[in-house]
Amino acid sequence: MRERHAGQDARRSREFDAFVAGAAGRLLHAATLLTAEDPRDNPRARHLLTLALAHTYACWDRLRGEDPYDRARQHLATRFARGAWHQYGAPGALGRSRPRRPGPLARLSPQERLILVLRLYEGVAEEQAAALLGLSRERVRAICDRSITNLLHPPRGPATTTIGAKMVPS
């Protein structure tokens, strides 16, 4: 009996290791986009990835035909969504000891980043993203469209006026 469990545990570990080898890079990139961190300095994204992989490993035997990547992505997204306000977006949230370069999606809100990453990077259908986030399909579409617009056409800085030969902010 003990030998059978040891064999099952070894098989489970090999399967999970193979899954991580194939999926961890893409999941880390998605987490980095969500946290809006620089890809070379992304401790929050790595933490989110670790939690998602730990959750997936804990559920590994109960997946029964379910896609483990989908399960890990769902956990990553919901964990980010729950913690986004407190950890990533709240005024005065967890100060950093040194400044970090922001990632490419830093000017978007956490919700906009989440929907944009799910829809465009991960290819999740509107209906699935809406169900995962508890939003209507139309709301997901509107937020995704607004996010794309904000990325393609960033808001301009303050207008300047010319006085003599100097440029003066108005």
Side-chain angles (χ1 to χ4, degrees), residues 12 16 19-20 47-63 66-79 82:
R12 176 184 189 207
F16 186 75
F19 164 71
V20 170
H47 182 69
L48 273 175
L49 174 65
T50 301
L51 294 172
L53 291 176
H55 175 76
T56 304
Y57 184 74
C59 299
W60 193 259
D61 290 334
R62 295 182 307 246
L63 290 177
E66 189 179 341
D67 181 10
Y69 185 85
D70 188 48
R71 174 67 70 98
R73 180 182 57 218
Q74 285 178 3
H75 189 76
L76 187 81
T78 54
R79 185 75 182 210
R82 273 186 291 188

PDB file of all heavy atoms in Angstrom, residues 12 16 19-20 47-63 66-79 82:
ATOM      1  N   ARG A  12       2.616  11.957  -9.823  1.00  0.00           N
ATOM      2  CA  ARG A  12       1.997  13.279  -9.660  1.00  0.00           C
ATOM      3  C   ARG A  12       3.063  14.371  -9.735  1.00  0.00           C
ATOM      4  O   ARG A  12       2.880  15.380 -10.417  1.00  0.00           O
ATOM      5  CB  ARG A  12       1.277  13.333  -8.316  1.00  0.00           C
ATOM      6  CG  ARG A  12       0.679  14.662  -7.983  1.00  0.00           C
ATOM      7  CD  ARG A  12       0.077  14.626  -6.596  1.00  0.00           C
ATOM      8  NE  ARG A  12      -0.691  15.822  -6.352  1.00  0.00           N
ATOM      9  CZ  ARG A  12      -0.896  16.332  -5.174  1.00  0.00           C
ATOM     10  NH1 ARG A  12      -0.426  15.745  -4.095  1.00  0.00           N
ATOM     11  NH2 ARG A  12      -1.607  17.412  -5.030  1.00  0.00           N
ATOM     12  N   PHE A  16       3.285  17.230 -12.602  1.00  0.00           N
ATOM     13  CA  PHE A  16       3.236  18.638 -12.227  1.00  0.00           C
ATOM     14  C   PHE A  16       4.509  19.360 -12.668  1.00  0.00           C
ATOM     15  O   PHE A  16       4.434  20.488 -13.169  1.00  0.00           O
ATOM     16  CB  PHE A  16       3.016  18.799 -10.714  1.00  0.00           C
ATOM     17  CG  PHE A  16       2.828  20.230 -10.314  1.00  0.00           C
ATOM     18  CD1 PHE A  16       1.635  20.890 -10.578  1.00  0.00           C
ATOM     19  CD2 PHE A  16       3.848  20.937  -9.708  1.00  0.00           C
ATOM     20  CE1 PHE A  16       1.453  22.218 -10.237  1.00  0.00           C
ATOM     21  CE2 PHE A  16       3.683  22.270  -9.352  1.00  0.00           C
ATOM     22  CZ  PHE A  16       2.479  22.907  -9.619  1.00  0.00           C
ATOM     23  N   PHE A  19       4.169  20.122 -16.247  1.00  0.00           N
ATOM     24  CA  PHE A  19       3.235  21.235 -16.419  1.00  0.00           C
ATOM     25  C   PHE A  19       3.918  22.564 -16.120  1.00  0.00           C
ATOM     26  O   PHE A  19       3.823  23.513 -16.901  1.00  0.00           O
ATOM     27  CB  PHE A  19       2.011  21.053 -15.502  1.00  0.00           C
ATOM     28  CG  PHE A  19       1.210  22.308 -15.331  1.00  0.00           C
ATOM     29  CD1 PHE A  19       0.456  22.822 -16.368  1.00  0.00           C
ATOM     30  CD2 PHE A  19       1.216  22.992 -14.115  1.00  0.00           C
ATOM     31  CE1 PHE A  19      -0.276  23.989 -16.209  1.00  0.00           C
ATOM     32  CE2 PHE A  19       0.488  24.148 -13.955  1.00  0.00           C
ATOM     33  CZ  PHE A  19      -0.261  24.655 -14.997  1.00  0.00           C
ATOM     34  N   VAL A  20       4.637  22.638 -15.013  1.00  0.00           N
ATOM     35  CA  VAL A  20       5.322  23.887 -14.627  1.00  0.00           C
ATOM     36  C   VAL A  20       6.365  24.263 -15.672  1.00  0.00           C
ATOM     37  O   VAL A  20       6.491  25.434 -16.039  1.00  0.00           O
ATOM     38  CB  VAL A  20       5.944  23.758 -13.222  1.00  0.00           C
ATOM     39  CG1 VAL A  20       6.858  24.932 -12.914  1.00  0.00           C
ATOM     40  CG2 VAL A  20       4.845  23.666 -12.171  1.00  0.00           C
ATOM     41  N   HIS A  47       5.318  36.247  -6.747  1.00  0.00           N
ATOM     42  CA  HIS A  47       4.513  35.799  -5.608  1.00  0.00           C
ATOM     43  C   HIS A  47       3.147  35.295  -6.089  1.00  0.00           C
ATOM     44  O   HIS A  47       2.669  34.243  -5.645  1.00  0.00           O
ATOM     45  CB  HIS A  47       4.364  36.932  -4.594  1.00  0.00           C
ATOM     46  CG  HIS A  47       3.598  36.551  -3.381  1.00  0.00           C
ATOM     47  ND1 HIS A  47       4.069  35.674  -2.434  1.00  0.00           N
ATOM     48  CD2 HIS A  47       2.366  36.927  -2.957  1.00  0.00           C
ATOM     49  CE1 HIS A  47       3.170  35.527  -1.481  1.00  0.00           C
ATOM     50  NE2 HIS A  47       2.123  36.277  -1.783  1.00  0.00           N
ATOM     51  N   LEU A  48       2.508  36.047  -6.990  1.00  0.00           N
ATOM     52  CA  LEU A  48       1.225  35.606  -7.549  1.00  0.00           C
ATOM     53  C   LEU A  48       1.376  34.263  -8.259  1.00  0.00           C
ATOM     54  O   LEU A  48       0.528  33.374  -8.113  1.00  0.00           O
ATOM     55  CB  LEU A  48       0.705  36.630  -8.561  1.00  0.00           C
ATOM     56  CG  LEU A  48      -0.118  37.792  -8.043  1.00  0.00           C
ATOM     57  CD1 LEU A  48      -0.431  38.759  -9.184  1.00  0.00           C
ATOM     58  CD2 LEU A  48      -1.396  37.311  -7.400  1.00  0.00           C
ATOM     59  N   LEU A  49       2.454  34.103  -9.024  1.00  0.00           N
ATOM     60  CA  LEU A  49       2.693  32.845  -9.725  1.00  0.00           C
ATOM     61  C   LEU A  49       2.870  31.702  -8.734  1.00  0.00           C
ATOM     62  O   LEU A  49       2.296  30.621  -8.910  1.00  0.00           O
ATOM     63  CB  LEU A  49       3.925  32.956 -10.624  1.00  0.00           C
ATOM     64  CG  LEU A  49       4.355  31.656 -11.305  1.00  0.00           C
ATOM     65  CD1 LEU A  49       3.291  31.174 -12.279  1.00  0.00           C
ATOM     66  CD2 LEU A  49       5.693  31.842 -11.996  1.00  0.00           C
ATOM     67  N   THR A  50       3.635  31.932  -7.697  1.00  0.00           N
ATOM     68  CA  THR A  50       3.864  30.895  -6.685  1.00  0.00           C
ATOM     69  C   THR A  50       2.549  30.455  -6.054  1.00  0.00           C
ATOM     70  O   THR A  50       2.296  29.254  -5.897  1.00  0.00           O
ATOM     71  CB  THR A  50       4.834  31.401  -5.604  1.00  0.00           C
ATOM     72  OG1 THR A  50       6.063  31.761  -6.231  1.00  0.00           O
ATOM     73  CG2 THR A  50       5.082  30.359  -4.542  1.00  0.00           C
ATOM     74  N   LEU A  51       1.701  31.415  -5.709  1.00  0.00           N
ATOM     75  CA  LEU A  51       0.401  31.078  -5.116  1.00  0.00           C
ATOM     76  C   LEU A  51      -0.478  30.298  -6.096  1.00  0.00           C
ATOM     77  O   LEU A  51      -1.142  29.329  -5.716  1.00  0.00           O
ATOM     78  CB  LEU A  51      -0.316  32.346  -4.660  1.00  0.00           C
ATOM     79  CG  LEU A  51       0.349  33.114  -3.511  1.00  0.00           C
ATOM     80  CD1 LEU A  51      -0.355  34.444  -3.288  1.00  0.00           C
ATOM     81  CD2 LEU A  51       0.348  32.283  -2.250  1.00  0.00           C
ATOM     82  N   ALA A  52      -0.479  30.705  -7.357  1.00  0.00           N
ATOM     83  CA  ALA A  52      -1.301  30.012  -8.355  1.00  0.00           C
ATOM     84  C   ALA A  52      -0.803  28.586  -8.585  1.00  0.00           C
ATOM     85  O   ALA A  52      -1.607  27.651  -8.688  1.00  0.00           O
ATOM     86  CB  ALA A  52      -1.297  30.791  -9.673  1.00  0.00           C
ATOM     87  N   LEU A  53       0.513  28.413  -8.651  1.00  0.00           N
ATOM     88  CA  LEU A  53       1.050  27.071  -8.855  1.00  0.00           C
ATOM     89  C   LEU A  53       0.831  26.193  -7.628  1.00  0.00           C
ATOM     90  O   LEU A  53       0.529  24.999  -7.761  1.00  0.00           O
ATOM     91  CB  LEU A  53       2.534  27.136  -9.220  1.00  0.00           C
ATOM     92  CG  LEU A  53       2.841  27.716 -10.605  1.00  0.00           C
ATOM     93  CD1 LEU A  53       4.345  27.818 -10.814  1.00  0.00           C
ATOM     94  CD2 LEU A  53       2.181  26.906 -11.709  1.00  0.00           C
ATOM     95  N   ALA A  54       0.958  26.758  -6.444  1.00  0.00           N
ATOM     96  CA  ALA A  54       0.706  25.985  -5.221  1.00  0.00           C
ATOM     97  C   ALA A  54      -0.751  25.525  -5.167  1.00  0.00           C
ATOM     98  O   ALA A  54      -1.042  24.375  -4.814  1.00  0.00           O
ATOM     99  CB  ALA A  54       1.053  26.812  -3.988  1.00  0.00           C
ATOM    100  N   HIS A  55      -1.652  26.415  -5.535  1.00  0.00           N
ATOM    101  CA  HIS A  55      -3.071  26.066  -5.556  1.00  0.00           C
ATOM    102  C   HIS A  55      -3.333  24.960  -6.589  1.00  0.00           C
ATOM    103  O   HIS A  55      -4.075  24.007  -6.316  1.00  0.00           O
ATOM    104  CB  HIS A  55      -3.910  27.303  -5.878  1.00  0.00           C
ATOM    105  CG  HIS A  55      -5.362  27.018  -6.027  1.00  0.00           C
ATOM    106  ND1 HIS A  55      -6.188  26.793  -4.957  1.00  0.00           N
ATOM    107  CD2 HIS A  55      -6.137  26.903  -7.130  1.00  0.00           C
ATOM    108  CE1 HIS A  55      -7.410  26.555  -5.387  1.00  0.00           C
ATOM    109  NE2 HIS A  55      -7.401  26.617  -6.702  1.00  0.00           N
ATOM    110  N   THR A  56      -2.729  25.085  -7.746  1.00  0.00           N
ATOM    111  CA  THR A  56      -2.912  24.080  -8.795  1.00  0.00           C
ATOM    112  C   THR A  56      -2.359  22.731  -8.350  1.00  0.00           C
ATOM    113  O   THR A  56      -2.985  21.687  -8.575  1.00  0.00           O
ATOM    114  CB  THR A  56      -2.233  24.543 -10.103  1.00  0.00           C
ATOM    115  OG1 THR A  56      -2.770  25.823 -10.453  1.00  0.00           O
ATOM    116  CG2 THR A  56      -2.488  23.563 -11.231  1.00  0.00           C
ATOM    117  N   TYR A  57      -1.212  22.738  -7.690  1.00  0.00           N
ATOM    118  CA  TYR A  57      -0.631  21.487  -7.197  1.00  0.00           C
ATOM    119  C   TYR A  57      -1.539  20.841  -6.153  1.00  0.00           C
ATOM    120  O   TYR A  57      -1.751  19.631  -6.152  1.00  0.00           O
ATOM    121  CB  TYR A  57       0.756  21.733  -6.617  1.00  0.00           C
ATOM    122  CG  TYR A  57       1.447  20.461  -6.184  1.00  0.00           C
ATOM    123  CD1 TYR A  57       1.968  19.587  -7.131  1.00  0.00           C
ATOM    124  CD2 TYR A  57       1.561  20.132  -4.839  1.00  0.00           C
ATOM    125  CE1 TYR A  57       2.592  18.409  -6.752  1.00  0.00           C
ATOM    126  CE2 TYR A  57       2.190  18.956  -4.445  1.00  0.00           C
ATOM    127  CZ  TYR A  57       2.701  18.096  -5.407  1.00  0.00           C
ATOM    128  OH  TYR A  57       3.319  16.935  -5.026  1.00  0.00           O
ATOM    129  N   ALA A  58      -2.114  21.675  -5.286  1.00  0.00           N
ATOM    130  CA  ALA A  58      -3.003  21.150  -4.246  1.00  0.00           C
ATOM    131  C   ALA A  58      -4.249  20.508  -4.858  1.00  0.00           C
ATOM    132  O   ALA A  58      -4.800  19.566  -4.293  1.00  0.00           O
ATOM    133  CB  ALA A  58      -3.399  22.259  -3.282  1.00  0.00           C
ATOM    134  N   CYS A  59      -4.689  21.008  -6.004  1.00  0.00           N
ATOM    135  CA  CYS A  59      -5.893  20.485  -6.662  1.00  0.00           C
ATOM    136  C   CYS A  59      -5.572  19.462  -7.748  1.00  0.00           C
ATOM    137  O   CYS A  59      -6.490  18.985  -8.425  1.00  0.00           O
ATOM    138  CB  CYS A  59      -6.665  21.641  -7.306  1.00  0.00           C
ATOM    139  SG  CYS A  59      -7.230  22.885  -6.156  1.00  0.00           S
ATOM    140  N   TRP A  60      -4.313  19.151  -7.945  1.00  0.00           N
ATOM    141  CA  TRP A  60      -3.875  18.344  -9.084  1.00  0.00           C
ATOM    142  C   TRP A  60      -4.658  17.040  -9.241  1.00  0.00           C
ATOM    143  O   TRP A  60      -5.088  16.709 -10.347  1.00  0.00           O
ATOM    144  CB  TRP A  60      -2.380  18.060  -8.956  1.00  0.00           C
ATOM    145  CG  TRP A  60      -1.778  17.522 -10.211  1.00  0.00           C
ATOM    146  CD1 TRP A  60      -1.469  16.231 -10.484  1.00  0.00           C
ATOM    147  CD2 TRP A  60      -1.422  18.277 -11.372  1.00  0.00           C
ATOM    148  NE1 TRP A  60      -0.928  16.130 -11.743  1.00  0.00           N
ATOM    149  CE2 TRP A  60      -0.890  17.372 -12.312  1.00  0.00           C
ATOM    150  CE3 TRP A  60      -1.507  19.616 -11.715  1.00  0.00           C
ATOM    151  CZ2 TRP A  60      -0.436  17.771 -13.559  1.00  0.00           C
ATOM    152  CZ3 TRP A  60      -1.057  20.016 -12.956  1.00  0.00           C
ATOM    153  CH2 TRP A  60      -0.531  19.101 -13.855  1.00  0.00           C
ATOM    154  N   ASP A  61      -4.844  16.303  -8.163  1.00  0.00           N
ATOM    155  CA  ASP A  61      -5.524  15.010  -8.254  1.00  0.00           C
ATOM    156  C   ASP A  61      -7.018  15.145  -8.524  1.00  0.00           C
ATOM    157  O   ASP A  61      -7.654  14.197  -8.962  1.00  0.00           O
ATOM    158  CB  ASP A  61      -5.309  14.198  -6.970  1.00  0.00           C
ATOM    159  CG  ASP A  61      -3.870  13.726  -6.831  1.00  0.00           C
ATOM    160  OD1 ASP A  61      -3.186  13.566  -7.869  1.00  0.00           O
ATOM    161  OD2 ASP A  61      -3.421  13.533  -5.690  1.00  0.00           O
ATOM    162  N   ARG A  62      -7.584  16.312  -8.263  1.00  0.00           N
ATOM    163  CA  ARG A  62      -9.028  16.507  -8.465  1.00  0.00           C
ATOM    164  C   ARG A  62      -9.357  17.163  -9.804  1.00  0.00           C
ATOM    165  O   ARG A  62     -10.516  17.457 -10.073  1.00  0.00           O
ATOM    166  CB  ARG A  62      -9.583  17.368  -7.338  1.00  0.00           C
ATOM    167  CG  ARG A  62      -9.496  16.700  -5.980  1.00  0.00           C
ATOM    168  CD  ARG A  62     -10.107  17.592  -4.932  1.00  0.00           C
ATOM    169  NE  ARG A  62      -9.525  18.927  -4.962  1.00  0.00           N
ATOM    170  CZ  ARG A  62      -8.795  19.453  -3.998  1.00  0.00           C
ATOM    171  NH1 ARG A  62      -8.564  18.779  -2.901  1.00  0.00           N
ATOM    172  NH2 ARG A  62      -8.292  20.670  -4.099  1.00  0.00           N
ATOM    173  N   LEU A  63      -8.366  17.416 -10.643  1.00  0.00           N
ATOM    174  CA  LEU A  63      -8.632  18.097 -11.912  1.00  0.00           C
ATOM    175  C   LEU A  63      -9.482  17.259 -12.855  1.00  0.00           C
ATOM    176  O   LEU A  63     -10.332  17.777 -13.554  1.00  0.00           O
ATOM    177  CB  LEU A  63      -7.321  18.497 -12.597  1.00  0.00           C
ATOM    178  CG  LEU A  63      -6.545  19.617 -11.917  1.00  0.00           C
ATOM    179  CD1 LEU A  63      -5.230  19.865 -12.635  1.00  0.00           C
ATOM    180  CD2 LEU A  63      -7.359  20.894 -11.859  1.00  0.00           C
ATOM    181  N   GLU A  66      -9.821  18.442 -16.362  1.00  0.00           N
ATOM    182  CA  GLU A  66      -9.813  19.902 -16.444  1.00  0.00           C
ATOM    183  C   GLU A  66      -8.407  20.370 -16.806  1.00  0.00           C
ATOM    184  O   GLU A  66      -7.409  19.758 -16.427  1.00  0.00           O
ATOM    185  CB  GLU A  66     -10.222  20.475 -15.079  1.00  0.00           C
ATOM    186  CG  GLU A  66     -10.469  21.963 -15.081  1.00  0.00           C
ATOM    187  CD  GLU A  66     -10.903  22.462 -13.707  1.00  0.00           C
ATOM    188  OE1 GLU A  66     -11.343  21.654 -12.876  1.00  0.00           O
ATOM    189  OE2 GLU A  66     -10.769  23.666 -13.484  1.00  0.00           O
ATOM    190  N   ASP A  67      -8.304  21.452 -17.541  1.00  0.00           N
ATOM    191  CA  ASP A  67      -7.019  21.983 -17.980  1.00  0.00           C
ATOM    192  C   ASP A  67      -6.290  22.629 -16.790  1.00  0.00           C
ATOM    193  O   ASP A  67      -6.785  23.598 -16.221  1.00  0.00           O
ATOM    194  CB  ASP A  67      -7.250  23.013 -19.081  1.00  0.00           C
ATOM    195  CG  ASP A  67      -5.969  23.606 -19.623  1.00  0.00           C
ATOM    196  OD1 ASP A  67      -4.878  23.106 -19.287  1.00  0.00           O
ATOM    197  OD2 ASP A  67      -6.069  24.578 -20.399  1.00  0.00           O
ATOM    198  N   PRO A  68      -5.115  22.123 -16.408  1.00  0.00           N
ATOM    199  CA  PRO A  68      -4.409  22.719 -15.262  1.00  0.00           C
ATOM    200  C   PRO A  68      -3.964  24.152 -15.531  1.00  0.00           C
ATOM    201  O   PRO A  68      -3.924  24.969 -14.617  1.00  0.00           O
ATOM    202  CB  PRO A  68      -3.213  21.792 -15.037  1.00  0.00           C
ATOM    203  CG  PRO A  68      -3.072  20.989 -16.266  1.00  0.00           C
ATOM    204  CD  PRO A  68      -4.414  20.960 -16.931  1.00  0.00           C
ATOM    205  N   TYR A  69      -3.667  24.473 -16.793  1.00  0.00           N
ATOM    206  CA  TYR A  69      -3.281  25.851 -17.120  1.00  0.00           C
ATOM    207  C   TYR A  69      -4.451  26.795 -16.875  1.00  0.00           C
ATOM    208  O   TYR A  69      -4.279  27.868 -16.298  1.00  0.00           O
ATOM    209  CB  TYR A  69      -2.818  25.960 -18.577  1.00  0.00           C
ATOM    210  CG  TYR A  69      -2.307  27.341 -18.906  1.00  0.00           C
ATOM    211  CD1 TYR A  69      -0.990  27.680 -18.647  1.00  0.00           C
ATOM    212  CD2 TYR A  69      -3.146  28.306 -19.445  1.00  0.00           C
ATOM    213  CE1 TYR A  69      -0.522  28.950 -18.925  1.00  0.00           C
ATOM    214  CE2 TYR A  69      -2.693  29.572 -19.724  1.00  0.00           C
ATOM    215  CZ  TYR A  69      -1.378  29.898 -19.463  1.00  0.00           C
ATOM    216  OH  TYR A  69      -0.922  31.165 -19.718  1.00  0.00           O
ATOM    217  N   ASP A  70      -5.626  26.374 -17.288  1.00  0.00           N
ATOM    218  CA  ASP A  70      -6.814  27.197 -17.068  1.00  0.00           C
ATOM    219  C   ASP A  70      -7.056  27.398 -15.578  1.00  0.00           C
ATOM    220  O   ASP A  70      -7.373  28.502 -15.131  1.00  0.00           O
ATOM    221  CB  ASP A  70      -8.028  26.543 -17.732  1.00  0.00           C
ATOM    222  CG  ASP A  70      -9.257  27.428 -17.702  1.00  0.00           C
ATOM    223  OD1 ASP A  70      -9.139  28.618 -18.044  1.00  0.00           O
ATOM    224  OD2 ASP A  70     -10.331  26.921 -17.324  1.00  0.00           O
ATOM    225  N   ARG A  71      -6.886  26.338 -14.796  1.00  0.00           N
ATOM    226  CA  ARG A  71      -7.071  26.436 -13.342  1.00  0.00           C
ATOM    227  C   ARG A  71      -6.053  27.412 -12.735  1.00  0.00           C
ATOM    228  O   ARG A  71      -6.401  28.257 -11.916  1.00  0.00           O
ATOM    229  CB  ARG A  71      -6.927  25.051 -12.715  1.00  0.00           C
ATOM    230  CG  ARG A  71      -6.947  25.012 -11.203  1.00  0.00           C
ATOM    231  CD  ARG A  71      -8.299  25.405 -10.615  1.00  0.00           C
ATOM    232  NE  ARG A  71      -9.311  24.423 -10.847  1.00  0.00           N
ATOM    233  CZ  ARG A  71      -9.673  23.501  -9.963  1.00  0.00           C
ATOM    234  NH1 ARG A  71      -9.109  23.458  -8.786  1.00  0.00           N
ATOM    235  NH2 ARG A  71     -10.622  22.645 -10.254  1.00  0.00           N
ATOM    236  N   ALA A  72      -4.800  27.305 -13.143  1.00  0.00           N
ATOM    237  CA  ALA A  72      -3.757  28.195 -12.612  1.00  0.00           C
ATOM    238  C   ALA A  72      -4.030  29.639 -13.026  1.00  0.00           C
ATOM    239  O   ALA A  72      -3.890  30.571 -12.221  1.00  0.00           O
ATOM    240  CB  ALA A  72      -2.382  27.743 -13.100  1.00  0.00           C
ATOM    241  N   ARG A  73      -4.434  29.853 -14.279  1.00  0.00           N
ATOM    242  CA  ARG A  73      -4.731  31.203 -14.762  1.00  0.00           C
ATOM    243  C   ARG A  73      -5.911  31.797 -13.993  1.00  0.00           C
ATOM    244  O   ARG A  73      -5.897  32.962 -13.612  1.00  0.00           O
ATOM    245  CB  ARG A  73      -5.025  31.169 -16.254  1.00  0.00           C
ATOM    246  CG  ARG A  73      -5.341  32.556 -16.807  1.00  0.00           C
ATOM    247  CD  ARG A  73      -5.673  32.544 -18.263  1.00  0.00           C
ATOM    248  NE  ARG A  73      -6.792  31.660 -18.536  1.00  0.00           N
ATOM    249  CZ  ARG A  73      -6.880  30.901 -19.609  1.00  0.00           C
ATOM    250  NH1 ARG A  73      -5.938  30.884 -20.513  1.00  0.00           N
ATOM    251  NH2 ARG A  73      -7.939  30.141 -19.783  1.00  0.00           N
ATOM    252  N   GLN A  74      -6.944  30.997 -13.756  1.00  0.00           N
ATOM    253  CA  GLN A  74      -8.097  31.484 -12.996  1.00  0.00           C
ATOM    254  C   GLN A  74      -7.680  31.903 -11.591  1.00  0.00           C
ATOM    255  O   GLN A  74      -8.108  32.946 -11.094  1.00  0.00           O
ATOM    256  CB  GLN A  74      -9.176  30.403 -12.910  1.00  0.00           C
ATOM    257  CG  GLN A  74      -9.943  30.201 -14.166  1.00  0.00           C
ATOM    258  CD  GLN A  74     -10.959  29.073 -14.032  1.00  0.00           C
ATOM    259  OE1 GLN A  74     -11.121  28.478 -12.969  1.00  0.00           O
ATOM    260  NE2 GLN A  74     -11.634  28.761 -15.120  1.00  0.00           N
ATOM    261  N   HIS A  75      -6.865  31.085 -10.955  1.00  0.00           N
ATOM    262  CA  HIS A  75      -6.429  31.415  -9.599  1.00  0.00           C
ATOM    263  C   HIS A  75      -5.561  32.672  -9.613  1.00  0.00           C
ATOM    264  O   HIS A  75      -5.699  33.537  -8.748  1.00  0.00           O
ATOM    265  CB  HIS A  75      -5.669  30.246  -8.968  1.00  0.00           C
ATOM    266  CG  HIS A  75      -5.385  30.457  -7.529  1.00  0.00           C
ATOM    267  ND1 HIS A  75      -6.350  30.319  -6.549  1.00  0.00           N
ATOM    268  CD2 HIS A  75      -4.260  30.849  -6.881  1.00  0.00           C
ATOM    269  CE1 HIS A  75      -5.822  30.608  -5.377  1.00  0.00           C
ATOM    270  NE2 HIS A  75      -4.550  30.925  -5.559  1.00  0.00           N
ATOM    271  N   LEU A  76      -4.682  32.789 -10.581  1.00  0.00           N
ATOM    272  CA  LEU A  76      -3.836  33.971 -10.709  1.00  0.00           C
ATOM    273  C   LEU A  76      -4.698  35.223 -10.862  1.00  0.00           C
ATOM    274  O   LEU A  76      -4.485  36.231 -10.177  1.00  0.00           O
ATOM    275  CB  LEU A  76      -2.931  33.791 -11.928  1.00  0.00           C
ATOM    276  CG  LEU A  76      -1.865  34.828 -12.164  1.00  0.00           C
ATOM    277  CD1 LEU A  76      -0.666  34.545 -11.273  1.00  0.00           C
ATOM    278  CD2 LEU A  76      -1.439  34.806 -13.616  1.00  0.00           C
ATOM    279  N   ALA A  77      -5.695  35.147 -11.746  1.00  0.00           N
ATOM    280  CA  ALA A  77      -6.561  36.300 -12.006  1.00  0.00           C
ATOM    281  C   ALA A  77      -7.404  36.665 -10.790  1.00  0.00           C
ATOM    282  O   ALA A  77      -7.505  37.845 -10.423  1.00  0.00           O
ATOM    283  CB  ALA A  77      -7.463  36.015 -13.205  1.00  0.00           C
ATOM    284  N   THR A  78      -8.010  35.683 -10.146  1.00  0.00           N
ATOM    285  CA  THR A  78      -8.861  36.004  -8.998  1.00  0.00           C
ATOM    286  C   THR A  78      -8.027  36.485  -7.814  1.00  0.00           C
ATOM    287  O   THR A  78      -8.443  37.385  -7.094  1.00  0.00           O
ATOM    288  CB  THR A  78      -9.732  34.810  -8.576  1.00  0.00           C
ATOM    289  OG1 THR A  78      -8.915  33.669  -8.346  1.00  0.00           O
ATOM    290  CG2 THR A  78     -10.757  34.480  -9.646  1.00  0.00           C
ATOM    291  N   ARG A  79      -6.858  35.917  -7.628  1.00  0.00           N
ATOM    292  CA  ARG A  79      -5.977  36.372  -6.542  1.00  0.00           C
ATOM    293  C   ARG A  79      -5.539  37.815  -6.781  1.00  0.00           C
ATOM    294  O   ARG A  79      -5.521  38.626  -5.869  1.00  0.00           O
ATOM    295  CB  ARG A  79      -4.771  35.435  -6.464  1.00  0.00           C
ATOM    296  CG  ARG A  79      -3.852  35.698  -5.332  1.00  0.00           C
ATOM    297  CD  ARG A  79      -4.485  35.190  -4.054  1.00  0.00           C
ATOM    298  NE  ARG A  79      -3.615  35.484  -2.947  1.00  0.00           N
ATOM    299  CZ  ARG A  79      -3.538  34.756  -1.872  1.00  0.00           C
ATOM    300  NH1 ARG A  79      -4.291  33.701  -1.734  1.00  0.00           N
ATOM    301  NH2 ARG A  79      -2.744  35.094  -0.898  1.00  0.00           N
ATOM    302  N   ARG A  82      -8.632  40.155  -6.198  1.00  0.00           N
ATOM    303  CA  ARG A  82      -8.947  40.358  -4.775  1.00  0.00           C
ATOM    304  C   ARG A  82      -7.935  41.252  -4.083  1.00  0.00           C
ATOM    305  O   ARG A  82      -8.288  42.047  -3.228  1.00  0.00           O
ATOM    306  CB  ARG A  82      -9.002  39.024  -4.044  1.00  0.00           C
ATOM    307  CG  ARG A  82     -10.345  38.368  -4.114  1.00  0.00           C
ATOM    308  CD  ARG A  82     -10.348  37.151  -3.269  1.00  0.00           C
ATOM    309  NE  ARG A  82      -9.459  36.199  -3.950  1.00  0.00           N
ATOM    310  CZ  ARG A  82      -9.288  34.958  -3.628  1.00  0.00           C
ATOM    311  NH1 ARG A  82      -9.898  34.465  -2.597  1.00  0.00           N
ATOM    312  NH2 ARG A  82      -8.505  34.182  -4.315  1.00  0.00           N
TER     313      ARG A  82
END
